[in-house]
Amino acid sequence: MSDPIGSVRLAERGGFVVASLTGEIDLSNATDVQTAIEEAVANTHRGVVVDLTDAGYLDSSAITVLFRLLRQTRARNQQFRVVLPKESPLRRVIYLTELPELVEVYENPGQAVKADAGEALSP
Amino acid sequence: MNESSHLAAQYAVGRVLTEAETFEDAAPRLVEAMLEVLGWELGNFWVVDDASRVVRVTATAHRRAEELDRFAATSRSFAFRPGEGLPGRVWLAKAPAWVTDIASDPGFTRRAAAIEAGLRSAFAFPAFRGNTVLGVIELFSVDGCEPDAALLDVMTAIGGQVGQFIERTRATRTLRASEARKSAVLEAAVDAIITMDHKGLVLEFNPAAEQIFGYSRDEVIGQEMCRFIIPEELRDRHREGLARYIETGEGPVVGRRIEVPAQGKDGRQFPAELAITRVDVPGPPIFTGYLRDITQRKRAEAEREYLLALERDARAQLEDATARLRALQALTETALQHTSLDVLAQQFLARISELLHVDNVALFLLTDDHKQLVLNASLGPLYEGQGSSVIVPVGEGIAGQIAQTGSPVIGADIVASNGGEVTSLPARSVVGVPLMAQGALTGVLQVSSDTSRSFTNDDVHLLKLAADRIAVGIERVRLYEREHRIAESLQRSLLPGRLPRILGVTVAVRYEPGGPGLEVGGDWYDVLELPGDRLAVAVGDVVGRGLRAAAAMGQLRNVVRAYAFENHPPHKVLDLVNRLSERLDRADMATLVYLVIDPADKMMCMSVAGHPPPVLVTATGRASFLEGGRSVPLGALPDSVYPQIEVPVELGSTLLLYTDGLVERRGQSIDEGLQRLQKAASEAPRDLELMCDYIMTQLADDESGDDDVALIAVRLANVAQRPLQLRLPAAPESIATLRGALRRWLQEGEVAAEDIFDIAVAACEASANAIEHAYGPGDAHFEVDAALEQDRCRVVVRDFGSWRASRSVDRGRGIHIMRSLMDEVDIVQSQTGTEVALSRRVARGE
C-alpha cells in the first residue's frame, strides 16, 4: 500500500475542531476526509476550522467537502471557517467557488479560533 | 650427645634417604633412625600441605607403648597453621625449636596429651629446601633434655638433606601421577597412540593401536615403527622425513593433523588421520603419534558429497524452473499493467523471445468472421515491417493449421498469404500454439528460429502457458478498449451534435475526452438558440466521475435547457436549477457558466456558479477574464443567491468558455493555467477555428491527465462589414495584394469559403484588366471598392486608363471567368477609365 496522497489532522482548539488538510485531497480520499471531520465534531463545539495551509491540491470533490461541512455546521448553528494563507496556491481555486463570500477566511488557525463571528481577517 | 652420635645420626639419615625410593617409605624410617641414635621415645614427621597451608603428620615412629600410640594419634588429629603448635612455630620461624619442659609450657597445644604420655621435652627442626620449609620433624623424650647446640647444627644439616629428599620424591610422585594418568589415557584411548624415538623405533603402542593395526604390543616394541603401520611404498619417505626432521628440526608433518594411508597387519590399507607431536625429553626427542582410522568418516563424507551433488543438481533444475516460472509471471504482470494492445503485445513478445531463446515471435489474431488470422504484432526479422498485411487463412500454413485444429504444432515451413499471393517462408524450426480465451480460439502465438533448433515438448508446454497468459491479457485489453469506446460514444452522445446557427454569432467547439480511463466525466457544454435570435451557451462540470456523474450531468443539462427555453435570465436559470437540485435531493455539486448573447443589442448576460471565469477577447486581440456574476456552485447551498452581470460585446469580440480540464494541472496552481489561457487567447489567430486550435495546443497538452477538456468560442460577427477600399499601383504585383486583402476582408465578414474564392478570382481578373489598361500617364493606380451586405457582396474595380480591346485571348477568357463566377458583371467604359462591377450572393455566418 502506497503512502496516502493526502490526509487530515484533527485537533481541538478554542472550542473548535481544527481540521488541517495536508497533501492532495481529491476524488480518491475526499469522502474519507469528510467523514473524519464529521465524526470529530460534536454539538458542543463552537464550529469547524478547516486549515488549508498545508494542502497542496484540492479538486472539485474536495471543494464539495467544504460546502458540505458548511451546510452541516450551519444547520447546527455552528461556525465554519477556513484558514488560507495569502501565498497558498489554492487561493484562486477557493475564490473561484465564491466560498469566501459565505465563510470567513483567515491567515492562520490561531486567528481563526480566536476571532468572533463576523470578523474576516483576510480579504 | 657426643660427636659420634651426631655422625651416627647423619649417617643413619643418609642411609635411609639413599635406600628409600619413596617418601612414604623414608619418612617413618627417618624418624626411627633419629630416635635410635638419640635415644628418644617418639617422633612425628610433619609435612607442609601447600594447598591448605597447614602441616600434618605424615609419619610417626615410637617405642611400643599404648600411651605413645595415643599421643601419636592425637598429633595426627592436628593440622597446624604457621605459628601454631610446635611444628607451626618451627615452620614459621624456619628454625629449630626446643621445649625443655612441656608441662610448664602453656603454649604447647598438646600439653595434656604429652603429659599423659609421659613425654617431658620436645625438639623440632625444619626440613627445608632453600628458603622453603617442606616439613617439620618433631622428636619427644621422656627425660628432660637441655638444648644442645651441636645437636641443633646436626639436625639443621639433616633438615637440609631431608628437605632435598622431600623435593625429589615429590617430583617423582608428580611424575608418577602423571605417568599413571597417561597410562590410563593410553589404555582407554580410542585412537592409536604410538610413541617412537628418534631412530623410528616404537616405544609405546597402546591397545587401540593394537586393535587398529592388528599387532600386539610385544610384536612392535623396539621395532621400526614404519615397518608395521606404514604402507611399504611410503616407508622410505617416512624414514627420510624423520631423518631430516632430526637434523633440521623442521618437517611438514610434526605438529599438524594430516590424512595418510595406513596399513594393518592384514595388509589392508585404510585412510587414517594422524597428528604427531614432539616430546621434549633430555636427549634426542621422541615423537607421539595419535592416529585414527577414518575409513568410516571418509565413506560418510563421500556419501555426503554425492548427496550434495544430487541436491545441487536438483536445486539447479528447480532454479531453472523457477526462473522460467518467474518469466511467465512477468508476462502476467505485463498484462495487468498495460492498457494498450500494441504496447501489451510488444512486451509479451519480447518476454517470450527471452524465455524461449527464439529470434521470431508472432502474434496472430483471429478476425471476427473467424476465417483469417491477421498478424497483430511481431518481433524479429521474419515478419519485420509487414504488420497487418500478413494474413493467414485458417487452415493454411502452420498458424492456419493451429487456428483450425486448436492444437499446437511443431514444424517447419510457414505459409503466408500476402495480398493473395501465397509464399512460402522457410524457417528452420517453428512452433505455434493457439490463443484461447474463455474457451474460444482468439489467435495464434508462433515462434520460430532461423537457426536449427529443435523445439521440445517442454518448449511447447512453456509456450502454451505463455499463450494462456497473453490470451487473458489481450481479452482484457480488448474488453477494456471496447468499453472505453462505448463510454466515449456515450459521453459524446450527451453533447450537442449540431450547433445551432444564428446570424451574427459564430460558434466553434473543441472537445477532448479525458484519459484512457473507463470513467466518463461530468463535463458538458450546450449551445441553444433562444427566441428573439439570441444564443444561450452553457458549460458545466458535475463533481466526480463515472456513470453517476454522467447521469447527473445529463439531467442537469436537460434541466438547464428547460429553464433556458423558458427565457429566464441567467441568474434565474441558475436559481431554478439550484432549487430543483435541492428538491431532488441531489448530492452532487456542479459548476456552471450560463450566458445569453443578443447580437442585435450586442449585449451578453452571464451568471457563473463556481466555474472558472470566461475570457473576453476583443476584436483587436486583447484577452481578459470576466470576473463578475459569480456565486457558489450549484447544489452547494439551498438558498444561494446567483448574481448576473451584463457585458457589452463589440463586434468581432470573442467569448471563450471552457472546463477546468483546460487550465488545471496537478502540481500547478490554477493561476498558472489561467495565465496561460489568457496569453494563448491574446496570441491566437483571428479566425475562430484557428483560434480554438491554437488554444487547445497551447493548453491541452499530454499532461492534461484524466480530465475532459472542452472549449467553446463564441464570436459576435460583423453583420454589416465596413466596406473595403483599396488604391493599388497598376502593376502585376498588386494582384496578389488585392487577393490577400479581399480574402481577409471577406473572412472577417464571415463569408463562406467558396464564395471568398470565387469572388477573389473574379476581382483579380478585373484587376488584371485594369493593370493592362494602364500605361499612360495618370494610369499609375487602380481602385477597388468592396461592400458586403447581409447576403450579397459587391466589388467594383476602377481603372483610369483607356480600354483596349482584348489584346489576347486570355483577356477574353478573363471576362468569361468573371461572368461565370459572379452573378452580375457590369463593365462601364468612359473617358476617364473603366469600371467593372461584380456582384454575387454570399453565404455568411458559417
Side-chain angles (χ1 to χ4, degrees), chain A residues 5 24 26-27 57-61 63-64 67-68 70-71 74 89-93 95-99 102, chain B residues 543-545 582 587-589 610-613 627 630-633 635-638 664-666 669-671 674:
Chain A
I5 54 172
E24 303 177 354
D26 68 2
L27 188 62
Y57 177 83
L58 299 180
D59 79 348
S60 46
S61 321
I63 303 293
T64 307
F67 278 102
R68 293 282 161 266
L70 171 59
R71 287 173 87 115
R74 277 241 180 114
L90 301 177
R91 219 165 165 81
R92 190 70 142 114
V93 160
Y95 275 83
L96 278 180
T97 67
E98 303 298 315
L99 183 63
L102 303 172
Chain B
V543 172
R545 297 191 69 76
E582 285 298 314
D588 311 298
M589 286 199 334
H611 201 86
E627 300 279 8
R630 302 192 58 84
S631 55
V632 297
L637 294 164
E664 265 190 6
R665 296 266 175 290
R666 225 181 188 88
S669 96
I670 197 174
D671 289 292
L674 292 171

